[in-house]
Amino acid sequence: MLKKVSVFDIIGTMIKYVLIVVLILFFIRKAKDFYQMGYRIFDQKAVAAEGEGRDVTVTITNGLSSSDLAVMLKENGLIEDRLTFLIQERLSEYHNEWKAGTYTLSTEMTTDEILAAISPKEETEDGTE
């Protein structure tokens, strides 16, 4: 015996399939975004190409948070993305190691180079860090 199919059943089924397609496309897009962010985190690039950069003088104060540092570097054109910098800083050997002071940085520097410049290691008497 054949079951009678109403127009509402057909429309409901179509809506389900459309929603499934939309969700799949959404997840593909987000996966692509996360991949690109991961790529930027581990493949550090400077804001400016070598030979095209400019020097920027920044002053770091005591008690400056990572987020505040990221905002300052972004405002001065030394980094492109605040969130990417925060993750790079968190994963680096320089996490919360920067020292207060005035530094001249370049837009040709990568995040690691910037962090190394503002995180001077003190040498001991035997010359080790």
Side-chain angles (χ1 to χ4, degrees), residues 7-20:
V7 172
F8 294 112
D9 290 336
I10 294 170
I11 292 173
T13 302
M14 288 174 56
I15 289 173
K16 287 179 191 176
Y17 285 121
V18 167
L19 284 175
I20 289 170

Side-chain angles (χ1 to χ4, degrees), residues 8-120:
F8 294 112
D9 290 336
I10 294 170
I11 292 173
T13 302
M14 288 174 56
I15 289 173
K16 287 179 191 176
Y17 285 121
V18 167
L19 284 175
I20 289 170
V21 169
V22 167
L23 285 173
I24 289 171
L25 292 175
F26 173 78
F27 285 119
I28 289 171
R29 172 62 189 227
K30 287 300 164 188
K32 180 180 174 187
D33 291 345
F34 286 127
Y35 172 80
Q36 288 174 342
M37 176 176 242
Y39 188 79
R40 284 192 313 268
I41 289 168
F42 294 106
D43 183 44
Q44 296 183 17
K45 296 212 188 291
V47 173
E50 194 170 326
E52 298 176 11
R54 62 182 172 79
D55 288 341
V56 178
T57 302
V58 295
T59 300
I60 296 174
T61 58
N62 284 325
L64 190 70
S65 71
S66 299
S67 184
D68 293 336
L69 177 62
V71 168
M72 179 180 60
L73 295 175
K74 172 98 170 112
E75 288 174 351
N76 284 287
L78 293 164
I79 61 172
E80 290 184 353
D81 183 63
R82 189 181 67 80
L83 180 59
T84 302
F85 172 82
L86 288 172
I87 295 169
Q88 289 170 331
E89 186 274 333
R90 181 69 178 183
L91 296 174
S92 78
E93 64 183 280
Y94 304 107
H95 176 59
N96 286 335
E97 294 292 325
W98 55 85
K99 307 283 187 233
T102 300
Y103 302 92
T104 300
L105 306 173
S106 172
T107 56
E108 294 178 22
M109 297 170 86
T110 65
T111 298
D112 276 348
E113 292 170 335
I114 290 171
L115 289 170
I118 64 175
S119 304

